[in-house]
Amino acid sequence: AQGNNSGAASLGAELVPGGDVVADETDLDELVADADRVITGEGHLDEGSFDGKAVGGVAQLAVEAEVPVVAVAGVVDDDVADRLTTLSLVERFGAEAATTDAATCVRRIVAEHLGG
């Protein structure tokens, strides 16, 4: 919540995008550069997904490394669907299955996308 972030900043904490922290701690740029394909995801892919969140950061690293990237999401907003290849669990399997058995849905949709 914004209030919690403001409180931490007032105590001297530095606020940084979470995606940047994860990327730095895991040497993600090197992992992406060595990959044949990158698959990332989030529950709801929207404009905010590309503003400091992991999905946007991973996608940017993949684009810079010229590695194909796919985003798997429960829901994909129409206004971001053209930014990269997207796979929507709700669109493919319906809201109930995407919510109650997300792991199976992710495995299936990725396998379908990869041709297996």
Side-chain angles (χ1 to χ4, degrees):
Q2 183 64 17
N4 291 341
N5 291 339
S6 298
S10 69
L11 295 173
E14 179 183 358
L15 301 177
V16 295
D20 292 348
V21 172
V22 172
D24 289 345
E25 290 297 317
T26 61
D27 295 322
L28 189 58
D29 56 340
E30 293 175 26
L31 294 170
V32 168
D34 290 339
D36 294 325
R37 178 178 318 263
V38 173
I39 300 173
T40 186
E42 140 171 323
H44 187 153
L45 192 67
D46 59 14
E47 195 64 40
S49 303
F50 298 92
D51 188 23
K53 289 189 173 182
V55 169
V58 169
Q60 183 62 37
L61 287 173
V63 168
E64 290 171 2
E66 298 181 359
V67 175
V69 61
V70 175
V72 177
V75 175
V76 178
D77 281 4
D78 291 339
D79 61 336
V80 298
D82 63 345
R83 286 190 171 197
L84 69 162
T85 301
T86 59
L87 306 173
S88 169
L89 301 182
V90 170
E91 189 175 299
R92 170 65 179 85
F93 302 105
E96 184 175 341
T99 303
T100 61
D101 197 9
T104 298
C105 291
V106 169
R107 283 191 297 273
R108 287 183 58 198
I109 204 165
V110 170
E112 290 170 6
H113 177 75
L114 296 176

